[in-house]
Amino acid sequence: MTEITTSTITVLVVGEDDADAEQLGLLLADAPVELRRARTADEAVGALDVDCVLLDLPASEAESLSTLRWFLRQPGTRAVVVWTAQPEPGLGLRVIAAGAQDLLVKGEMGGATLYRVLRYAVQRRQAEVQEREMYRAQVRDYEASRLERALLPSPLVGDGSVEVLVGYRAGRDGLLGGDFYDVVERADGSIAAVVGDVAGHGPDEAALGATLRTAWRTATLADLSPPRVLDVTEQILAAERGRPEIFATLVMVVVGPDRTWLDLYLCGHPAPFLIGRPTVPLPSDRRGRALGIPALGGWQARRVELPDRWRVALFTDGMLETTVDGTDHRLGEDGLAELIADQVRSEQARHRGGAGGATIVDRVMEAVSVRHGGNLVDDTALVVLGWDGGR
């Protein structure tokens, strides 16, 4: 569409009366208007790329407005103005209520006035479209903020001696996906943490991820056993997913009350890393199936003894599968482990120099983005738990 304030507007005249169309052309001969013609709605189908439709409304349609409603249903941002010979009482209100921009009576105005009416109709239509888009954007922002609060909760840990760092980055489109995380201190003093990933991308997957995260936290706070927490989360997945093929991968760790061990549950998900020199994956010999996969078998804990001082990183596979250095190569486990180890060394150097700065989670996620060459395609979540012996 052209900018009507400085350029010609295109008007499609729809009607069978040749004399009316000829008279309209004479009235607008000196106006910046390009008139096009279609006798019927069928003829207009391929000619709707215009700023305005001027519809000659037959008297027989004054009640049903069927042709008008047909034009209003067609995709696009054009204005629709009704043109009639003898309007019935209340017709103007009905056509405006139906969605038309104006009602004109044949023979009641000159060319200059007619042009202004058509121009203002196009302006009003464009304003309506802009207002509608602004409203939709506001709704999307509101829904995104609701999903963000559900997907990205504040950790619920009262033990201040435990390091709890969390991070999340949306994919390239800037929208939240199905990745989620949570960290909760249990009644016995143990700390449970989860990172999950719903298969697929989009608002439905994000909503499902938020639901699973809420279900996991609720079951954990209800003091259910860790295996039972996973069972409940899977039951919610089966009940809430839109299609039976939707599944979710998940990793859960439960750190013991004395912080000397953790139980690891792998549900089709990459194993966490024990951060150190070197940074290495935790054992994955008891990896179980993803949630929602129709296969036998549940999930068994793998007990891992922890050193006096430790850090564990849980993450979604978006960090492993991101391409790096402008190639098709993936970062992978080895690449991510090396990158984390580099950030740990950098952190230690800054501490020795008395400098603070961003957390290791922020720096790792930024370093992954730099290796990729920009924002990641997939959304990513990263959780780091740490313990320094209570000092």
Side-chain angles (χ1 to χ4, degrees), residues 127-372:
E128 290 172 3
V129 171
Q130 291 172 356
E131 184 177 359
R132 188 175 303 164
E133 289 303 315
M134 288 178 60
Y135 173 74
R136 289 174 177 170
Q138 290 172 350
V139 171
R140 287 194 295 268
D141 289 344
Y142 174 70
E143 293 298 328
S145 66
R146 289 182 60 195
L147 282 175
E148 184 172 351
R149 289 194 299 271
L151 282 168
L152 315 179
S154 298
L156 195 59
V157 176
D159 187 351
S161 64
V162 177
E163 180 183 41
V164 181
L165 302 173
V166 296
Y168 185 101
R169 288 200 179 186
R172 181 167 295 160
D173 57 7
L175 299 177
L176 295 173
D179 289 9
F180 61 93
Y181 67 78
D182 206 349
V183 185
V184 172
E185 185 170 354
R186 294 163 52 86
D188 63 357
S190 62
I191 294 177
V194 66
V195 166
D197 185 1
V198 176
H201 303 279
D204 291 339
E205 287 74 15
L208 182 57
T211 300
L212 297 182
R213 201 284 307 169
T214 302
W216 181 90
R217 174 175 279 206
T218 301
T220 301
L221 291 176
D223 209 25
L224 300 184
S225 67
R228 182 60 181 148
V229 169
L230 296 176
D231 289 338
V232 169
T233 305
E234 184 175 48
Q235 290 173 14
I236 298 299
L237 169 65
E240 297 294 332
R241 61 187 173 184
R243 304 186 306 278
E245 63 270 22
I246 296 296
F247 65 93
T249 67
L250 182 149
V251 55
M252 179 174 69
V253 299
V254 180
V255 179
D258 61 2
R259 316 305 182 216
T260 62
W261 55 267
L262 65 77
D263 283 340
L264 171 63
Y265 297 84
L266 291 177
C267 309
H269 201 89
F273 285 166
L274 181 64
I275 298 176
R277 295 184 177 180
T279 292
V280 294
L282 293 180
S284 58
D285 52 310
R286 294 192 180 179
R287 185 187 303 275
R289 61 177 174 82
L291 275 64
I293 296 294
L296 297 177
W299 306 278
Q300 293 184 336
R302 175 61 154 88
R303 178 64 58 91
V304 178
E305 301 298 328
L306 297 171
D308 293 338
R309 303 177 66 181
W310 54 264
R311 266 177 167 174
V312 171
L314 295 74
F315 47 85
T316 51
D317 61 2
M319 303 195 76
L320 300 179
E321 296 179 358
T322 184
T323 57
V324 295
D325 302 330
T327 71
D328 293 333
H329 297 299
R330 309 287 179 175
L331 182 62
E333 280 194 352
D334 292 341
L336 180 58
E338 180 181 353
L339 186 148
I340 291 176
D342 289 343
Q343 295 306 315
V344 170
R345 286 191 290 269
S346 176
E347 179 185 58
Q348 292 171 344
R350 278 196 298 272
H351 285 173
R352 286 193 297 270
T359 69
I360 189 171
V361 165
D362 295 330
R363 288 185 285 102
V364 166
M365 300 191 85
E366 180 62 23
V368 172
S369 298
V370 170
R371 284 291 306 274
H372 176 65

Side-chain angles (χ1 to χ4, degrees), residues 3 5 63 65 160 232 304:
E3 289 294 326
T5 56
E63 289 297 328
L65 303 179
V232 169
V304 178

